[in-house]
Amino acid sequence: MIQLTDSAVAAVKTALSRATAPAEGLRIKVEAGGCAGFKYMMGLEGTTRDGDMVIDQDGVKLYVDLDSQALVSGMTVDFVTGLDASGFVFENPNATSKCSCGKSFG
């Protein structure tokens, strides 16, 4: 369903090791909004919710709610480090368009 690159796995593991609240993985969710129609929401997660798909990749759990599953199916998440900024990058085959910041899609 969702693939994390090695760099993304390492970034999530680092975030989990520094979390102040108990967390077991990363929640990826799609919400209406952003400049292209939908936006990605991410956060550390400690529990499974009704309807969640849970994906375990290299020791990292990904939680995807039922409403987001079709919108992120086949997506690859990478973590890049650059001179100006660092962060997660989404390659989503379901997106017909995306904004210049790469955090929202249509």
Side-chain angles (χ1 to χ4, degrees), residues 15-16 19 21-25 44-47 63:
L16 288 169
E24 294 183 7
L44 298 180
E45 183 67 65
T47 60
Y63 301 90

Side-chain angles (χ1 to χ4, degrees), residues 14-94:
T14 297
L16 288 169
S17 72
R18 295 179 180 169
T20 56
E24 294 183 7
L26 180 70
R27 177 168 297 280
I28 297 178
K29 181 177 178 147
V30 175
E31 292 183 350
C35 49
F38 293 105
K39 62 184 176 180
Y40 300 107
M41 303 296 293
M42 298 175 65
L44 298 180
E45 183 67 65
T47 60
T48 304
R49 301 178 191 167
D50 286 343
D52 276 354
M53 175 177 284
V54 181
I55 303 160
D56 192 322
Q57 183 179 335
D58 298 326
V60 170
K61 288 184 182 178
L62 293 174
Y63 301 90
V64 183
D65 67 283
L66 184 61
D67 294 335
S68 301
Q69 291 172 16
L71 296 169
V72 298
S73 180
M75 182 169 76
T76 299
V77 180
D78 193 10
F79 186 85
V80 296
T81 304
L83 292 174
D84 296 333
S86 298
F88 290 97
V89 177
F90 307 93
E91 292 297 326
N92 189 343
N94 304 297

